[in-house]
Amino acid sequence: MNKPFLSINLITYNHEKYIEECLNGMLSQNTEFQYEIVIGEDCSTDKTRELCKYYAEKYSDIIKLIDREKNLGNLENWHNTLSNCSGKYIALSDGDDYWTDPYKLQKQVNAMNR
């Protein structure tokens, strides 16, 4: 993948019930630019990790999974995941968030570029 214009910094821990809806909303974005989803999976004890691995394999051109060896905690996970983002712009999300507007990212970038 070329360097993305926008990175989504997604941190998650024990979001098994929500992570698929979260990722599907991100993957359904209609944009005029390339974007990446950088997932900081913080050693969940439920099936969040397995679901993230599945999505990262299926959408390897968009999703970069940071599969941790040990739990870092919310703040350190966020900072570390952010350091792995390479886009000009960064969108923030947690694993229990979901996006209903397929033009969310495009609208936000358009507003910032006015």
Side-chain angles (χ1 to χ4, degrees):
M1 177 199 317
N2 295 329
K3 183 176 178 180
F5 183 71
L6 182 140
S7 298
I8 302 170
N9 179 15
L10 171 60
I11 61 169
T12 188
Y13 177 76
N14 284 351
H15 290 136
E16 174 184 357
K17 294 180 183 178
Y18 315 103
I19 194 68
E20 288 185 278
E21 187 172 13
C22 174
L23 289 169
N24 287 333
M26 292 174 180
L27 291 165
S28 71
Q29 291 298 297
N30 292 307
T31 64
E32 298 171 354
F33 50 82
Q34 286 187 316
Y35 66 95
E36 67 178 352
I37 303 168
V38 183
I39 305 173
E41 203 299 305
D42 206 17
C43 297
S44 296
T45 58
D46 61 6
K47 293 187 178 173
T48 303
R49 179 179 285 227
E50 290 80 15
L51 292 167
C52 288
K53 284 182 180 181
Y54 169 78
Y55 274 82
E57 289 173 10
K58 186 173 181 181
Y59 300 99
S60 61
D61 56 326
I62 297 173
I63 296 177
K64 178 167 56 171
L65 174 61
I66 302 166
D67 195 15
R68 309 225 181 274
E69 296 287 323
K70 66 176 189 142
N71 180 278
L72 300 179
N74 192 43
L75 187 58
E76 192 173 342
N77 184 22
W78 185 84
H79 280 288
N80 182 272
T81 304
L82 184 63
S83 72
N84 281 277
C85 293
S86 58
K88 175 180 178 180
Y89 293 115
I90 310 286
L92 305 175
S93 187
D94 292 330
D96 58 353
D97 296 341
Y98 64 94
W99 299 350
T100 58
D101 183 351
Y103 295 95
K104 171 188 170 31
L105 293 178
Q106 187 65 57
K107 288 176 184 178
Q108 290 175 323
V109 166
N110 290 348
M112 289 186 287
N113 284 332
R114 285 187 190 155

